[in-house]
Amino acid sequence: MTTDATGTGVTEQALASLRGTADPRLRELLTGLVRHLHDFARETRLTQEEWERAIAFLTSTGRACTDTRQEFILLSDVLGLSMLVETVNGHRAAGATESTVLGPFHMTESPVRALGDDIDLVGGGARCVVSGRVRSADGTPLPGAVVDVWQADDKGYYDVQQPGVQPAGNGRGLFTADSEGRFWFRTCVPAAYPIPTDGPVGGLLRATGRHPYRPAHIHFIAAAEGHTPVTTHIFVAGGDYLDSDAVFAVKQSLVQDFTATDDPSLAREFGVENPFRHARFDLVLERTA
């Protein structure tokens, strides 16, 4: 009786057990997963102790998840998987806004706000106006488009990270574009920040000698009838970590100037003190097929 030292027999049995899966896409996904996992174990000669440590790590990752924290998304982010999924699914029409990762902090519903509202409820940092237009890739404005916004404060924290310090909904807003597809809101210039490092993902970063920082940015999800929604960021030009984002999410088209603006009439129009910072960013959506 011969011994299957490489475990190929086990792999074939595991793959055969999936052949009756009724959903063809589920069958394809599970078959690929099993094949690659088994090949990984063979290639690296995974030990029993290493396998047990991996199971313990995944268990602790699950236990770190709460209503306001998604450690598995954070793990996916730092391994580059979130950005890879965005990339392989993010082929868009020429000129459409590029997508990037959702991130782990889109955990609460953004409060509905009127155009021009201030989403910085704390009042810290450099004052800023963000304005733009939601339009189709052919240039047609998209009135009534919905723009979901969330960001860290000027110290690099999201509201869900500081309950009792920041009011719920700070740095968040759900806006409806006007009849010309325009949107605008007031806020503070966000700061670069470290992703949470007090859980298993932080331990992984330390073990691999990686820093946890993300460059300063504001998140957006834009949606309009007859168009494919886009999840994206704008990154603050000239900031730190643009070349070493901990979650690999920076795309050059999304790096935007937060321009120092000295214009009293424009400041009055936007309802901010002069001078202020102004970021202009159009959200360009692709029509659905």
Side-chain angles (χ1 to χ4, degrees):
M1 181 176 178
T2 59
T3 300
D4 178 12
T6 65
T8 54
V10 174
T11 301
E12 292 307 316
Q13 289 178 41
L15 292 173
S17 74
L18 301 172
R19 290 173 188 155
T21 306
D23 184 327
R25 178 58 173 166
L26 179 60
R27 182 170 63 250
E28 178 184 11
L29 291 171
L30 290 176
T31 297
L33 178 64
V34 168
R35 181 178 293 112
H36 286 293
L37 281 175
H38 286 219
D39 286 345
F40 168 79
R42 274 188 287 269
E43 177 186 338
T44 62
R45 299 188 62 82
L46 188 69
T47 69
Q48 187 75 24
E49 180 184 5
E50 290 164 342
W51 176 81
E52 290 173 356
R53 288 177 64 187
I55 295 298
F57 175 80
L58 293 175
T59 301
S60 64
T61 300
R63 287 174 176 163
C65 295
T66 69
D67 289 342
T68 57
R69 176 168 177 161
Q70 231 307 343
E71 194 79 1
F72 270 112
I73 289 181
L74 198 62
L75 176 60
S76 175
D77 288 349
V78 303
L79 293 178
L81 181 59
S82 300
M83 197 59 212
L84 177 59
V85 172
E86 282 287 344
T87 299
V88 299
N89 288 280
H91 301 294
R92 297 182 181 273
T97 298
E98 290 192 278
S99 61
T100 189
V101 297
L102 178 69
F105 293 114
H106 191 253
M107 298 294 295
T108 61
E109 187 173 337
S110 295
V112 174
R113 302 195 191 276
L115 293 173
D117 275 358
D118 195 339
I119 66 172
D120 175 18
L121 308 180
V122 177
R127 304 310 300 155
C128 176
V129 172
V130 178
S131 64
R133 190 184 301 269
V134 187
R135 55 184 174 84
S136 188
D138 65 5
T140 305
L142 296 175
V146 176
V147 180
D148 190 0
V149 178
W150 67 105
Q151 67 169 84
D153 67 8
D154 65 306
K155 297 178 180 61
Y157 292 100
Y158 289 83
D159 59 342
V160 295
Q161 293 178 287
Q162 295 186 307
V165 176
Q166 293 189 43
N170 188 48
R172 300 177 189 269
L174 191 67
F175 297 92
T176 300
D178 71 6
S179 60
E180 297 181 41
R182 297 175 302 182
F183 67 92
W184 64 95
F185 58 91
R186 293 171 289 157
T187 185
C188 64
V189 177
Y193 63 85
I195 60 175
T197 58
D198 58 339
V201 172
L204 177 63
L205 291 179
R206 288 187 290 275
T208 53
R210 290 175 53 188
H211 76 70
Y213 284 91
R214 298 219 58 209
H217 61 273
I218 300 176
H219 294 265
F220 294 84
I221 298 175
E225 185 176 356
H227 291 75
T228 302
V230 64
T231 299
T232 193
H233 301 8
I234 55 172
F235 296 92
V236 180
D240 295 331
Y241 310 110
L242 287 169
D243 295 327
S244 61
D245 183 5
V247 306
F248 314 103
V250 176
K251 294 181 177 180
Q252 190 56 44
S253 69
L254 304 179
V255 179
Q256 300 291 318
D257 289 324
F258 281 59
T259 306
T261 302
D262 186 354
D263 186 332
S265 62
L266 191 59
R268 284 193 297 272
E269 180 182 336
F270 284 130
V272 294
E273 291 185 5
N274 192 59
F276 62 100
R277 304 278 289 278
H278 190 186
R280 298 174 175 86
F281 182 62
D282 284 358
L283 292 158
V284 184
L285 306 186
E286 182 178 16
R287 291 189 183 275
T288 53

